[in-house]
Amino acid sequence: MNAPIAGPVEDPIDAYRIVSEPFYRPFAQEVGHYEAAYAARLPILLKGPTGCGKTRFVEHMAWRLKRPLVTVSCHEDMTASDLVGRFLLDADGTVWHDGPLTAAVRHGAICYLDEVVEARQDTTVVIHSLTDHRRHLPLEKKNELVQAHPDFQLVISYNPGYQSVLKDLKESTRQRFCAISFDYPDAAIEAEIVAREAGVEPETARVLVRVAERSRNLKGHGLREGASTRMLIAAGQLTAQGVPLEEACQIAIVLPLVDEPEIRAAMSSAVSACL
């Protein structure tokens, strides 16, 4: 779950408000499409490769819409109780504690379930009643039915490149969402993003994008995924700290992506060719 902002607040959910604008460079009509979906309070599914900007987009839209953002990083050990809440013992006895999803539902936040396919299907089924006309969340252990706040919205994301028979969204879940598709932006836009986020010169950013394009061409030929925009920014940040560009590419791109020596050599050659 994303860390709350430090400092005293009157309402606990206000700790999840984003106070300064997160940088996001639109590449199509995704901002307008999201705003239309939010106006209708429709749940949204974000699809795209890792590190292409899905999470930053949600942060930007939460800031734009002036809504708190509660983020949950999904994983295979996550239970329904981790989402909705549980009874816990404290000095006063057994007390109910809302989970992140319930808190968002009660207080009108945007709840973002990141990489939702990593969670077990018997866990994610709890969101179904929030994604249709009912817009409520049953808390069976507490015998309570929580009606969603008028400003509540549910957003989920996943990487279709990782889907398999064992890790994919159920059709009964998919069909409850409107979807926005993401991909790595065009080279000029991606270079603009890298230069802005990493604090490097435009030419350095363009070189990093060329490295990424070479790696993405190897997808399915030894690489499961090419270099993400996030990796390019990390390489740029190392360069801005004085690390030579080729070494920065090795540290932030080649070594994290590749284990096999032959493919690593091919990637290293591609990096050298781009410099």
Side-chain angles (χ1 to χ4, degrees), residues 125-198:
V125 73
V126 301
I127 69 176
H128 282 190
S129 61
L130 289 167
T131 55
D132 57 27
H133 66 282
R134 293 171 290 177
R135 279 179 60 85
H136 64 223
L137 178 64
L139 304 180
E140 296 178 0
K141 293 181 179 179
K142 196 168 181 271
N143 195 27
E144 180 183 358
L145 189 65
V146 183
Q147 194 65 40
H149 188 285
D151 294 333
F152 168 76
Q153 186 190 37
L154 183 65
V155 181
I156 65 176
S157 72
Y158 84 111
N159 180 356
Y162 290 163
Q163 67 184 4
S164 67
V165 174
L166 297 178
K167 286 192 175 181
D168 198 3
L169 285 178
K170 296 172 62 176
E171 286 300 324
S172 60
T173 302
R174 282 175 178 273
Q175 295 186 21
R176 295 170 179 273
F177 289 82
C178 297
I180 299 176
S181 182
F182 285 76
D183 204 344
Y184 302 121
D186 293 339
I189 295 176
E190 190 166 26
E192 177 187 335
I193 294 169
V194 172
R196 162 69 167 70
E197 292 289 270

Side-chain angles (χ1 to χ4, degrees), residues 42-102:
L42 294 171
I44 289 286
L45 164 63
L46 307 180
K47 302 169 61 174
T50 184
C52 70
K54 300 187 296 295
T55 298
R56 178 62 66 86
F57 172 70
V58 176
E59 292 173 347
H60 177 80
M61 295 309 302
W63 173 85
R64 191 181 183 97
L65 295 166
K66 298 179 173 57
R67 300 312 310 154
L69 176 65
V70 177
T71 300
V72 180
S73 297
C74 298
H75 54 86
E76 61 185 7
D77 294 325
M78 188 174 70
T79 67
S81 293
D82 292 327
L83 282 177
V84 302
R86 52 170 55 90
F87 284 104
L88 296 174
L89 287 173
D90 64 13
D92 298 320
T94 303
V95 179
W96 174 264
H97 290 260
D98 281 344
L101 176 60
T102 306

Side-chain angles (χ1 to χ4, degrees), residues 235-251:
Q237 290 172 330
L238 289 172
T239 302
Q241 295 299 316
V243 178
L245 183 55
E246 188 165 4
E247 291 179 24
C249 289
Q250 287 289 330
I251 296 168

